[in-house]
Amino acid sequence: MPTTVFDLVIAANRLPVDRVEHPDGSVEWRRSPGGLVTAMQSVMQGREGAWVGWTGQAGDSAEGPFGHEGLHLRPVHLTQDDVAEYYEGFSNDTLWPIYHDVIVQATFHRTWWTAYERVNRRFAEAICEVAGPGALVWVHDYQLQLVPAMVRELRPDVRIGWFDHIPFPPVELFAQLPWRKRIIEGLLGADFLGFQRVADAKNFVRAARQLGGWTSRGDTVMVPTPDGGEHRTVRVSAVPISVDAKGLSELAQRPEVRARAVEIRESLGNPTTLLLGVDRLDYTKGIRHRLKAYEELLDDGRVAPPDVTFVQVATPSRERVDAYAQLGAEVEGTVGRINGNHSVLGSPAIHYLHHGYPREEMAALFQAADLMLVTPLRDGMNLVAKEYVACRNDAGGALVLSEFTGAYHELHQAFVCNPHDIEGLKQSIMRAIEMPDPQKRRIMRSLRRRVMEHDVQRWAERVLANLTGTG
Ligand code: ADP
Ligand code: F6P
């Protein structure tokens, strides 16, 4: 049977659905939460689109293509070895540390690189199978950096864009990668490369010039064509991603979500100040620094339960990678020590929740929190910061935001901090706690204007306009 082809193909490491297996053995696919899925759905409106990605399951399962809520999904299968070497290994233990300022040491294994190439090729072949003539192919993130050139080789007729959700490192760090030139070549297979910040786009162009000898003019890199004819041009720009601001704002206004926000505060003993952290349990997120600052504020007697309490939600992530397992153990130990030293009966100093939650619960938590602590050491964007702002229809709350996030470049009116500077971080937290409400509301209103205007739909339109050459 001939394969159906599409005029828009999205490729990301993961499919936009999660596999749920029921006790009777039946399988159901549920839409994954998250802005990317929402953004892509708005892009797909009025187009026939396919999404190529991994199901999240390791092994030999052989799910064929299937439809879900109007999307054509084309699974890419990963064996146990692929997961260990391409996903946990090269993507998350080699590239992730290098792209995040080497907060932890990167690991280099040639076998991981081979797996990265092998899986990228599998993605490229799957894309070409479902891409119609002249299709738009939009590839996402650091796991798939070789895919643009691989697709171009197989299908010179399609237009290819790639978007980097994480930072792109300065050339001095990128240069550590033994496969640096191959990665640049892979990316330069695209027509358009999108980054979160201007600095990321510049880092890429510098790497292409210094490590590969490519020439550039402004935001355009010139790539020689194999026939030695005219250069092909690759546009490189900053297009910061955002959230479904209107959708979140509407969700936060639902009576049941508002009631839940009140209930959350009540269940915590109606503290005067509720601090909140929401992150994947990742060493880039600055959770250790945040806990240290909070512990010192407790030690100094500047905050204390039951007046002040802290809810830290930390979603399990990449648990088989050593640095993540170590972080998990360390955070649990610190939380235990803080609670042992500072909790009072019925009022823990910190509530540590190690699970994922539905969107409704997240929106309720955001509304319940007086202070949102976003303290990464490095983060491509940090969507949580924008989600918090989008959920504060009441213009209440305050955002403590690290300078090392992409979000900082749009939300610099927030209570800005350098998480490495524990004294400074403590001051930002105290300033946010102590500032009079009317002043805080003015700040929140200005943050909201930015987030509501520059939402994820606008981001997707901008990337598409760049990709089709109309932007
Ligand atoms: P990253 O992509 O590095 O995980 P972001 O802050 O950019 O960081 O995006 C994280 C996304 O995951 C946000 O949409 C956030 O709401 C969601 N998220 C984080 N923790 C949880 C959780 N415990 N339950 C549900 N969603 C979560
Ligand atoms: O934003 C970076 C990123 O790696 C995304 O590609 C991914 O969707 C998210 O973080 C969660 O990571 P993972 O897919 O490894 O659980």
Side-chain angles (χ1 to χ4, degrees), residues 138-397:
W138 183 352
V139 184
H140 290 268
D141 236 352
Y142 62 102
Q143 302 95 343
L144 303 179
Q145 293 177 102
L146 307 181
V147 166
M150 289 173 171
V151 169
R152 178 167 299 278
E153 198 189 317
L154 294 167
R155 288 288 300 275
D157 61 300
V158 299
R159 271 192 89 73
I160 307 163
W162 177 81
F163 185 80
D164 185 19
H165 291 255
I166 69 172
F168 196 86
V171 67
E172 294 76 10
L173 291 180
F174 184 72
Q176 288 183 21
L177 278 170
W179 310 277
R180 62 204 192 183
K181 197 164 171 211
R182 301 284 302 283
I183 290 175
I184 301 172
E185 278 166 357
L187 290 173
L188 287 176
D191 297 287
F192 172 69
L193 298 173
F195 293 87
Q196 301 280 26
R197 299 173 310 153
V198 174
D200 297 314
K202 286 197 167 147
N203 285 345
F204 174 77
V205 173
R206 266 188 75 202
R209 290 178 72 98
Q210 290 183 20
L211 303 173
W214 282 276
T215 54
S216 67
R217 201 172 307 130
D219 64 358
T220 304
V221 178
M222 261 65 77
V223 180
T225 46
D227 59 8
E230 272 215 6
H231 284 87
R232 197 168 58 76
T233 56
V234 182
R235 188 92 187 270
V236 182
S237 300
V239 191
I241 196 171
S242 193
V243 296
D244 177 21
K246 195 160 160 271
L248 282 164
S249 165
E250 281 167 10
L251 176 69
Q253 281 180 67
R254 285 197 206 152
E256 66 277 17
V257 174
R258 290 169 59 173
R260 177 67 189 141
V262 172
E263 193 178 272
I264 289 171
R265 287 189 74 94
E266 275 169 4
S267 70
L268 296 168
N270 277 322
T272 322
T273 307
L274 171 58
L275 301 131
L276 175 67
V278 172
D279 316 78
R280 254 184 326 102
L281 189 49
D282 194 301
Y283 51 82
T284 58
K285 302 290 179 184
I287 300 171
R288 283 187 273 228
H289 297 64
R290 192 183 306 165
L291 290 175
K292 186 162 182 57
Y294 182 57
E295 186 172 23
E296 288 191 14
L297 289 172
L298 289 160
D299 289 343
D300 299 346
R302 296 175 77 188
V303 299
D307 268 4
V308 176
T309 192
F310 178 18
V311 172
Q312 174 64 55
V313 180
T315 326
S317 179
R318 307 173 189 168
E319 288 174 304
R320 294 198 323 178
V321 178
D322 281 351
Y324 289 77
Q326 274 170 27
L327 173 73
E330 202 181 312
V331 167
E332 277 176 22
T334 309
V335 168
R337 184 181 66 233
I338 294 176
N339 274 336
N341 290 336
H342 296 285
S343 296
V344 290
L345 266 185
S347 301
I350 174 159
H351 301 255
Y352 179 63
L353 307 163
H354 190 39
H355 353 260
Y357 287 100
R359 263 159 54 86
E360 292 74 11
E361 184 72 358
M362 298 301 282
L365 272 166
F366 288 147
Q367 278 191 84
D370 300 295
L371 232 71
M372 183 78 217
L373 302 182
V374 177
T375 61
L377 308 178
R378 179 57 72 200
D379 207 333
M381 174 51 63
N382 197 283
L383 294 176
V384 166
K386 291 186 171 181
E387 288 170 358
Y388 177 67
V389 170
C391 286
R392 295 313 303 237
N393 298 297
D394 59 349

Side-chain angles (χ1 to χ4, degrees), residues 9 55 60 64 69 93 101 123 130 164 166-167 175 188 193 207 239 246 257 317 325 365 368 401 407 413 436 445 461:
V9 180
T55 56
D60 302 322
E69 295 178 2
D93 211 6
D101 291 355
F123 269 84
V130 292
D164 185 19
I166 69 172
L188 287 176
L193 298 173
V239 191
K246 195 160 160 271
V257 174
S317 179
L365 272 166
L401 181 62
Q413 301 94 331
R445 275 195 211 102
E461 280 158 19

